[in-house]
Amino acid sequence: MSTTTPVARTMRRPHRETAGSPLLLGHGRLPRVLAGTALTVLAAVWLLPFLWAVATSFQSEQDVAKPGLSPFKGAFTLDAYQQILERGNVTVWAANSFLVAGLVTLITVVISTLAAYGFSRGTFRGRRALLAVTVAAVMVPPQLLVVPLFEQMLMFNLVDTYAAMILPQVVAPMMVFILKRFFDSIPRELEEAARLDGASEVRVFLSVVLPLSRPIVAAVSIFVFIGAWNNFMWPFIVTNDPDLMTLPVGLATVKDAFGIQYAQAMASALLAALPLIVVFLLFQRRIVSSVATTGLGGA
Amino acid sequence: MTTIAPTGAPAPAGEPPVVPAPRRGTGRRGPGMLFVLPFAVPFALFLVWPVVQGLWMSLTDSSLTLRDTSFVGLDNYAEAFGDPDVWSSLGNTVFFTAASSVPLVLIALAMALLVHSGLAGQWVWRLSFFAPYLLPVTVVTLIWTWLYQPEVGLGNELLGSLGLEPVGWLSDEAVTMWSVAALTVWWTVGFNFLLYLAALQSLPSAYDEAAALDGAGAWRRLWSVTLPQLRRTSVLVAMLQILASLKVFDQIYILTKGGPNGSTRPILEYVYDIGFTGYRLGYASAVSYVFFALVIVVSLAQLRLFRQED
């Protein structure tokens, strides 16, 4: 399909790694040095909390409690990690997080993509009204819904189940809207050709529209996954069983239990952070570009 | 099998055909309701219904305990307007929104401009600024609880090394909301930074080049060319940020549980406290809707304000 190439290329162009605008700093050396210094200081400030946490996680609890500005007050040790892993909770919560965030992403992306295509190209009755309601729903803060949603879960007898954590999270009107805007921008001639050849609507969607939409679908998937992985309030309200908790919820329940054991607290935090850091390092450019692709950037 | 044959026969004359013939060439044929249905069903069930249900509950004395529910009209709303905790938690929310939004926009802009200026090591800068945004809220809060630790936390160790008095980061009522704001800026500035960076990278360079040829210096071009071109992005970032900050709950709940002495409790935590600790779901719904009204007013005000300026 030769037509995929130009569209895909246009999608990527704005976020290709550019050298920036050298003009911004002019040709003088002074602005360059000032900018470099400012950037280094900012980056150091932003990395400091993280590095401090890493250093703390590799010490014994006794050494952590010693005063002093040095990040390393004692010998290097893996004790904190060993204790966390032996307790086993963090690994169970990580597995739950992967299950919940993975399923939320899969379901959200499938139903949102279909709906966006239906809204973009559909001819059924009530389409405009339903679209208007969906767009209006973008305004509703999800936090507003926790009280009635919780009662609904009680009614369906779903409290303390994976379903309760997953189902309400798959409704993402904003993502439908973003996808619809993208589908609207694809020229219809491409589909008309396939329709004249007798392709069904599902076929047109799967083999003409979807391949053109890979960048935007990837962007939406990444955002939904990060959102679901980090979601705290809803899973926190709907789970009590420690074996069902996701990482953010589980860690919050033991935060107070940690007391003064900061080495273990930091080790748990870093283990919980690890998966997304790996995801970020693998997909760095895609994540950065997805901000632009979703139409939020470049406004 | 012959008995079902009639259904396959052509429809009797006079009745319209079940499937309308595709109107080729008019472009009218398109996917039907079935495409939207898999979204519309959970949408109706988990968004529209709770919105309506919540509104209904706010007019009742609905409770998490099993007793019967009765209709109480606007009593919950009347109570909310006279409830000092509603006002103080709304005040905390507005204070947090102001304290976090301003640095979250300005620092993000500064980061993006510096990174965009083309200095080497692009991926290091992007990683440093954006990575915290990827951390789950509990991880962020655990790390900052440690930094804010009164005796050996980094915050007070740094102050001590400069010869300054220690600060009660999470215990001094005058300081704690600023501690929460600092955590939030560190955690979420990366998103705004990326929005600005994407906008900068898509700006046409022609104006900048023209200004440079006319002899405008770096500062002059930043103020007169680049920043005006970023106006629409700045409006968008500010609007999104204010709405996001108004919804604060997670980090405050985990970090301070609203303390010390309720000084950091935002409105959404008060809703949680009423509903899930106090079991008063009806009243919690009413307070939610007061908050929702605030969100809508702020959104509409922002839209008006910025549309007028355009």
Side-chain angles (χ1 to χ4, degrees):
Chain A
M1 169 132 309
S2 62
T3 45
T4 58
T5 339
V7 177
R9 211 177 276 151
T10 328
M11 289 301 307
R12 277 192 207 110
R13 199 198 315 134
H15 9 96
R16 197 195 300 136
E17 200 126 4
T18 61
S21 153
L23 280 167
L24 204 61
L25 292 179
H27 300 288
R29 277 195 58 185
L30 186 65
R32 198 155 277 273
V33 171
L34 284 177
T37 312
L39 201 49
T40 311
V41 170
L42 265 180
V45 169
W46 248 253
L47 285 174
L48 189 64
F50 203 68
L51 298 176
W52 186 261
V54 173
T56 304
S57 73
F58 290 119
Q59 296 169 67
S60 70
E61 300 290 354
Q62 294 88 326
D63 289 335
V64 167
K66 288 180 193 159
L69 201 50
S70 157
F72 265 106
K73 298 158 188 169
F76 176 94
T77 167
L78 287 169
D79 283 357
Y81 288 90
Q82 202 183 342
Q83 280 151 356
I84 294 297
L85 291 175
E86 271 170 14
R87 214 182 291 140
N89 284 339
V90 173
T91 43
V92 171
W93 295 331
N96 287 336
S97 273
F98 268 111
L99 184 75
V100 170
L103 283 174
V104 166
T105 308
L106 183 71
I107 299 172
T108 308
V109 170
V110 169
I111 69 177
S112 303
T113 314
L114 283 170
Y117 183 64
F119 280 134
S120 176
R121 299 293 200 266
T123 49
F124 54 92
R125 284 184 62 182
R127 179 179 69 99
R128 295 176 72 98
L130 194 54
L131 181 61
V133 177
T134 307
V135 171
V138 169
M139 290 257 286
V140 178
Q143 296 87 344
L144 177 78
L145 304 176
V146 291
V147 174
L149 265 179
F150 184 77
E151 208 183 60
Q152 195 181 48
M153 294 300 133
L154 282 176
M155 197 169 90
F156 294 153
N157 218 354
L158 286 177
V159 172
D160 258 332
T161 63
Y162 288 115
M165 283 188 273
I166 293 167
L167 290 176
Q169 288 198 68
V170 305
V171 181
M174 186 68 188
M175 297 302 153
V176 174
F177 183 63
I178 288 171
L179 287 161
K180 178 194 173 281
R181 256 186 25 175
F182 182 83
F183 292 154
D184 285 346
S185 74
I186 300 178
R188 286 160 202 244
E189 287 75 23
L190 300 171
E191 298 145 56
E192 287 309 319
R195 288 204 182 106
L196 286 175
D197 287 347
S200 70
E201 281 306 321
V202 176
R203 187 63 203 255
V204 171
F205 175 67
L206 289 179
S207 39
V208 181
V209 177
L210 217 48
L212 292 173
S213 316
R214 238 178 269 152
I216 192 91
V217 172
V220 165
S221 309
I222 287 167
F223 272 107
V224 172
F225 186 85
I226 294 175
W229 180 270
N230 290 344
N231 192 357
F232 173 76
M233 195 181 194
W234 177 244
F236 166 69
I237 284 174
V238 89
T239 51
N240 291 310
D241 181 351
D243 288 337
L244 283 176
M245 286 174 180
T246 57
L247 265 176
V249 180
L251 282 181
T253 62
V254 296
K255 175 180 165 267
D256 301 320
F258 276 124
I260 202 72
Q261 293 179 301
Y262 282 104
Q264 280 189 45
M266 291 307 106
S268 312
L270 295 175
L271 284 179
L274 208 56
L276 272 203
I277 292 177
V278 171
V279 168
F280 181 77
L281 291 175
L282 289 176
F283 298 106
Q284 208 218 143
R285 288 178 61 174
R286 167 65 70 201
I287 291 175
V288 173
S289 68
S290 65
V291 172
T293 318
T294 45
L296 286 168
Chain B
M1 292 311 270
T2 49
T3 48
I4 53 165
T7 51
E15 272 181 42
V18 181
V19 180
R23 276 169 283 187
R24 276 189 193 158
T26 62
R28 288 295 305 273
R29 211 187 101 179
M33 185 65 195
L34 280 179
F35 277 79
V36 176
L37 214 56
F39 168 77
V41 170
F43 176 71
L45 209 56
F46 301 120
L47 204 151
V48 179
W49 180 8
V51 166
V52 177
Q53 168 78 1
L55 197 58
W56 165 250
M57 283 167 75
S58 76
L59 303 172
T60 70
D61 63 356
S62 170
S63 150
L64 262 185
T65 55
L66 288 171
R67 64 169 175 73
D68 285 342
T69 297
S70 57
F71 185 80
V72 298
L74 294 174
D75 284 6
N76 286 326
Y77 289 93
E79 185 182 344
F81 282 108
D83 182 347
D85 286 341
V86 168
W87 292 108
S88 72
S89 58
L90 270 178
N92 292 338
T93 306
V94 171
F95 182 81
F96 170 80
T97 303
S100 61
S101 296
V102 174
L104 273 168
V105 174
L106 294 182
I107 296 176
L109 175 62
M111 284 172 166
L113 286 170
L114 287 169
V115 169
H116 187 64
S117 63
L119 293 159
Q122 290 282 313
W123 75 269
V124 180
W125 314 125
R126 286 201 313 226
L127 179 74
S128 320
F129 300 146
F130 187 70
Y133 178 73
L134 291 169
L135 301 180
V137 58
T138 324
V139 169
V140 173
T141 315
L142 278 172
I143 291 177
W144 282 75
T145 307
W146 168 224
L147 300 183
Y148 288 147
Q149 209 274 338
E151 277 95 38
V152 290
L154 182 61
N156 280 345
E157 291 283 5
L158 281 175
L159 289 180
S161 71
L162 297 171
L164 298 170
E165 288 296 303
V167 167
W169 301 100
L170 299 179
S171 56
D172 183 340
E173 282 182 38
V175 174
T176 310
M177 195 59 109
W178 293 104
S179 305
V180 175
L183 173 161
T184 308
V185 171
W186 181 79
W187 179 28
T188 60
V189 76
F191 185 76
N192 293 350
F193 156 72
L194 279 195
L195 289 182
Y196 268 123
L197 194 61
L200 277 170
Q201 290 180 350
S202 63
L203 288 184
S205 56
Y207 300 106
D208 208 29
E209 282 160 13
L213 283 177
D214 288 346
W219 279 114
R220 176 96 190 132
R221 275 180 287 121
L222 176 67
W223 279 112
S224 313
V225 181
T226 309
L227 288 183
Q229 283 179 310
L230 285 176
R231 233 191 72 80
R232 291 188 57 189
T233 307
S234 298
V235 168
L236 181 84
V237 169
M239 286 173 69
L240 290 175
Q241 186 55 57
I242 290 171
L243 288 177
S245 285
L246 283 174
K247 295 173 199 165
V248 66
F249 168 80
D250 298 355
Q251 66 266 43
I252 294 186
Y253 182 79
I254 306 170
L255 191 70
T256 67
K257 294 263 188 306
N261 210 3
S263 61
T264 60
R265 180 165 71 173
I267 184 78
L268 282 175
E269 188 183 332
Y270 187 46
V271 169
Y272 171 81
D273 286 345
I274 307 167
F276 297 98
T277 316
Y279 300 136
R280 296 184 61 197
L281 292 183
Y283 186 46
S285 296
V287 178
S288 304
Y289 273 81
V290 172
F291 166 68
F292 190 30
L294 174 77
V295 169
I296 289 179
V297 167
V298 170
S299 316
L300 293 178
Q302 285 180 333
L303 278 177
R304 265 193 81 108
L305 208 67
F306 292 121
R307 205 168 275 166
Q308 268 174 0
E309 276 186 40
D310 278 347

